[in-house]
């Protein structure tokens, strides 16, 4: 599970920085999946009218009560701030955009998602039958940072992705 942010100077020294674009090219996370290890951080670059919410594989488009949520887009200062989470486990993490019908229309992504069984494609297919996405009431599990704060995290942001079957 992804939880709180460690002090950034410690985190940057421990692992890689992964960047995920949220909605720059429409209803997609770029990359859709990535592989990360404990100590890495993930920076979600939020584009207009998008957010990111951690869910569970068995309940697509529904918030994980202990998961992260970037807060509403209005809190990101029109995209000037990034939502940053710390990776604390090798377990699969599924997430989605809860704005309007974005999740139901396939705007889902994941970290350490398997390439068989509980794949991102299976999660996306299950999301298509959801009636309504769930949006948490407040930001949790990460922090909103501006560009200079994100740049101080590691300087070598990567966008490594895992293949999704």
């Amino acid at each position: 599970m992804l939880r709180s942010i460690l002090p950034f100077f410690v985190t940057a020294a421990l692992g890689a920085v992964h960047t995920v674009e949220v909605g720059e090219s429409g209803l997609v996370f770029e990359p859709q999946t990535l592989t990360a290890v404990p100590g890495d951080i993930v920076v979600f670059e939020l584009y207009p009218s998008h957010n990111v919410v951690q869910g569970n594989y068995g309940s697509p488009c529904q918030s994980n009560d202990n998961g992260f949520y970037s807060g509403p887009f209005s809190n990101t200062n029109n995209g000037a701030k990034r939502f940053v989470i710390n990776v604390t486990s090798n377990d699969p993490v599924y997430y989605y955009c809860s704005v309007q019908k974005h999740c139901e229309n396939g705007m889902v992504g994941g970290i350490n998602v398997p390439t068989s069984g509980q794949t991102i494609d299976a999660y996306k297919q299950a999301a298509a039958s959801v009636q309504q996405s769930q949006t948490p009431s407040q930001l949790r599990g990460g922090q909103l940072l501006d560009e200079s704060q994100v740049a101080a995290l590691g300087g070598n942001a990567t966008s490594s992705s895992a293949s999704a079957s």
Side-chain angles (χ1 to χ4, degrees):
M1 178 177 296
L2 303 176
R3 296 232 172 166
S4 63
I5 301 293
L6 292 172
F8 293 115
F9 60 89
V10 172
T11 303
L14 293 177
V17 178
H18 304 273
T19 300
V20 177
E21 295 171 348
V22 181
E24 181 183 34
S25 302
L27 300 182
V28 296
F29 290 95
E30 255 329 294
Q32 185 175 36
T33 62
L34 62 94
T35 301
V37 298
D40 287 359
I41 62 170
V42 179
V43 178
F44 291 97
E45 293 184 350
L46 302 160
Y47 286 83
S49 302
H50 296 288
N51 62 25
V52 61
V53 183
Q54 183 177 347
N56 294 314
Y57 178 82
S59 303
C61 308
Q62 302 304 300
S63 173
N64 175 325
D65 291 338
N66 297 314
F68 57 78
Y69 169 52
S70 64
F73 181 76
S74 58
N75 288 354
T76 69
N77 193 18
N78 293 318
K81 293 187 177 179
R82 304 334 189 223
F83 184 64
V84 180
I85 61 170
N86 188 49
V87 177
T88 60
S89 155
N90 291 314
D91 294 340
V93 174
Y94 299 86
Y95 49 81
Y96 62 95
C97 178
S98 71
V99 174
Q100 298 171 3
K101 292 267 190 194
H102 293 190
C103 180
E104 297 90 318
N105 288 321
M107 191 168 181
V108 300
I111 302 167
N112 300 330
V113 175
T115 57
S116 63
Q118 296 183 345
T119 67
I120 200 65
D121 288 340
Y123 186 70
K124 183 177 183 175
Q125 186 175 25
S129 64
V130 171
Q131 294 298 311
Q132 182 175 353
S133 293
Q134 183 181 34
T135 304
S137 60
Q138 63 186 0
L139 183 143
R140 63 184 187 207
Q143 288 187 323
L144 288 173
L145 303 177
D146 63 31
E147 279 188 65
S148 63
Q149 292 168 312
V150 170
L153 295 177
N156 62 341
T158 64
S159 59
S160 62
S161 61
S163 98
S165 297

